Amino acid sequence: MSSLSSLSSIAQSALMAQEAAMQVTGQNIANAQTPGYSRQTLTLQPSTPENTPNGVFGTGVSIASITRSRNVLLDQQYRSQSAPSSGYQERSTLLGQIQNVFGEPSTTGLANTMDNFFSSWSELASNPADASAKAVVQQDGAQLASTFNSYATQLSNIAANTQTGLAASIAQVNTLTSQVATMNSQIVAATSAGASPNDLLDQRDKMLDQLSQMVSITVSSNKDGSDQVNIGGIQIINGTATKSLALSGGIPLTVTTSTGDALPSPGGQVGATLTVANTELPNARNGLNQLAASIITDVNSAHAAGWSPPAGTGVDFFDSAPANATAQNMRLSATVAADASTIATGSTANAAGDNSVALAVAALQNFSPSAPGNSFSGAYSSLVTSVADAKNASDSSSTVYQTLQQQADAQRQSVSGVNTDEELTKMIQQQQAYVAAAKLIQTVQAMSTALLS
């Protein structure tokens, strides 16, 4: 039967419900700018009614649940754009470093240095007996070798730093997978106890978002509330079980799991770095080495056929040892480096004015037998252009995927983000309901006093 005590119980349940609602609203307002926070919603339901001889009477209100606003499909969409967006950004950064090594067009770059070198041979051909002209050829040859050395060293440093960065990224992936597995354990325990671990779920989703930048992942849920995570079809997280990743091999480098599975296309930042390390950097270094080797070969071939008073014939202009026919090791031969007068200008002994060798070397600027496409400048231009084209293509893709990622994030925020105006409106409504419940208690107390009187 309805009674004053029943009315008092109803009023108390209303007060408690509105207090809880205000607490959820306050939590939302407090975390309106917290990254990864999902808006929480308190759902109320009528308490179990009471059957009496006079009818069925309500017993107040109870809390049905506190849920977070989250859309799994929007999470999947965001993460599917996050991996390529992060990957292309990383690829553009690394390709930009390679492009900066060449730095063309430039008055101090390799193209200009090659032009100066062959131009000095043209000047020497105009006056083959001029000692100062030979000294200029010697200096320009040394400068050409030094430029090749510098470029090779810079590319080697980029390669070493790229591999170090790749190892660090893989370590970060392993840290995140371990953290997700730990979070899985906590979520399962809380869910089993009947709790709604909203904050834990947000933390796990934030970790998965970070992981999706490092590698391309797919996420699925288990019945117990834990998540499974796959990379390239290979499971790396299942509940509390994880597989760590490792970097192995030389070039090409490979990423493998702790169970020996290879990840040829891990995607994300790791995948982009792997591609640069295995493809773009080796291509740039090989192209530079091939150019250096062709210059050494063609210049030595022409010079060794010539004659100079101090050294006679058969003298190489550049060091021709096979190990030194690279951009890193390119240098003048010991004979030429020690004495510029050993530079040959002609092929006939004691023939004053013979400039056939000087002309032959100068002519290599326009036709080089050993160079790709028979042109030193053309080969170098192709090398620089290929890096620039790859950088431009990566920049374009990065812009596209960043836009898609931002759009996906905006859609996700429209569901899970906190709108402070809406929360303030709720707060006013909850305050009014709380005041009304308090008024109901006062009324019950007044009725009880009247009854006792």
Side-chain angles (χ1 to χ4, degrees):
M1 174 179 286
S2 177
S3 64
L4 290 179
S5 63
S6 297
L7 282 173
S8 178
S9 177
I10 290 174
Q12 289 177 1
S13 71
L15 284 175
M16 294 176 60
Q18 297 309 318
E19 285 179 1
M22 286 283 285
Q23 184 171 353
V24 172
T25 299
Q27 176 76 351
N28 287 339
I29 293 173
N31 289 280
Q33 301 300 321
T34 301
Y37 178 79
S38 300
R39 177 171 51 87
Q40 296 183 10
T41 302
L42 177 75
T43 302
L44 301 176
Q45 65 182 9
S47 299
T48 304
E50 179 183 10
N51 291 316
T52 71
N54 296 323
V56 179
F57 289 89
T59 58
V61 65
S62 63
I63 298 172
S65 64
I66 301 176
T67 58
R68 63 182 192 136
S69 300
R70 198 84 183 196
N71 187 305
V72 175
L73 293 178
L74 292 180
D75 281 336
Q76 292 175 350
Q77 182 178 353
Y78 172 82
R79 290 164 189 159
S80 69
Q81 307 300 339
S82 179
S85 174
S86 177
Y88 279 115
Q89 288 181 60
E90 181 67 13
R91 187 166 181 260
S92 291
T93 298
L94 295 175
L95 288 173
Q97 293 177 11
I98 300 174
Q99 192 175 42
N100 289 338
V101 171
F102 301 123
E104 300 292 351
S106 170
T107 57
T108 59
L110 184 56
N112 189 68
T113 305
M114 286 193 295
D115 287 342
N116 290 340
F117 175 67
F118 290 110
S119 294
S120 68
W121 279 98
S122 295
E123 294 294 328
L124 180 58
S126 299
N127 193 353
D130 187 1
S132 62
K134 287 190 175 185
V136 171
V137 169
Q138 181 195 49
Q139 293 168 6
D140 286 348
Q143 182 60 44
L144 178 62
S146 176
T147 302
F148 270 106
N149 299 161
S150 174
Y151 283 16
T153 297
Q154 292 179 65
L155 290 177
S156 294
N157 290 339
I158 293 173
N161 292 338
T162 298
Q163 188 163 340
T164 299
L166 184 57
S169 295
I170 290 174
Q172 185 177 353
V173 170
N174 290 336
T175 298
L176 286 170
T177 55
S178 177
Q179 290 174 343
V180 170
T182 300
M183 202 59 61
N184 276 340
S185 176
Q186 295 177 9
I187 289 170
V188 170
T191 303
S192 300
S196 298
N198 295 323
D199 292 336
L200 294 177
L201 292 170
D202 280 348
Q203 291 179 43
R204 184 177 66 183
D205 278 330
K206 186 177 180 180
M207 293 171 186
L208 291 172
D209 287 348
Q210 293 173 347
L211 189 60
S212 72
Q213 296 176 9
M214 307 304 299
V215 288
S216 181
I217 63 172
T218 55
V219 182
S220 58
S221 298
N222 294 321
K223 292 181 179 180
D224 60 3
S226 63
D227 275 349
Q228 295 182 35
V229 179
N230 288 13
I231 302 176
I234 297 175
Q235 189 179 88
I236 61 167
I237 304 174
N238 186 11
T240 59
T242 64
K243 294 178 183 178
S244 60
L245 303 185
L247 187 64
S248 61
I251 300 297
L253 296 164
T254 56
V255 177
T256 58
T257 68
S258 52
T259 54
D261 298 313
L263 294 174
S265 301
Q269 184 177 321
V270 170
T273 308
L274 192 65
T275 298
V276 172
N278 286 338
T279 305
E280 273 88 6
L281 267 168
N283 287 347
R285 298 174 75 180
N286 291 339
L288 194 67
N289 284 334
Q290 189 174 11
L291 179 59
S294 62
I295 291 176
I296 292 171
T297 298
D298 290 350
V299 171
N300 281 351
S301 178
H303 190 266
W307 176 89
S308 66
T313 61
V315 175
D316 287 330
F317 187 85
F318 292 108
D319 190 337
S320 62
N324 294 327
T326 64
Q328 183 69 66
N329 297 322
M330 185 179 183
R331 60 175 179 263
L332 297 179
S333 66
T335 301
V336 172
D339 187 357
S341 66
T342 60
I343 295 175
T345 56
S347 58
T348 304
N350 298 315
D354 185 358
N355 64 354
S356 57
V357 170
L359 289 174
V361 176
L364 292 174
Q365 186 172 20
N366 299 318
F367 181 82
S368 353
S370 298
N374 301 126
S375 171
F376 296 137
S377 60
Y380 181 59
S381 178
S382 296
L383 174 59
V384 173
T385 300
S386 66
V387 175
D389 288 346
K391 172 71 163 57
N392 291 335
S394 185
D395 288 344
S396 297
S397 296
S398 176
T399 300
V400 170
Y401 280 103
Q402 282 186 62
T403 301
L404 293 173
Q405 182 187 22
Q406 290 168 359
Q407 291 174 348
D409 190 45
Q411 290 180 323
R412 191 167 66 161
Q413 285 300 315
S414 68
V415 173
S416 62
V418 176
N419 185 318
T420 52
D421 289 338
E422 291 181 2
E423 298 301 320
L424 289 173
T425 300
K426 288 181 183 179
M427 185 173 66
I428 293 172
Q429 295 171 343
Q430 291 156 359
Q431 180 186 16
Q432 292 173 341
Y434 187 89
V435 170
K439 185 65 175 178
L440 177 57
I441 289 179
Q442 291 176 353
T443 302
V444 171
Q445 290 174 344
M447 292 172 66
S448 297
T449 300
L451 180 62
L452 292 173
S453 298

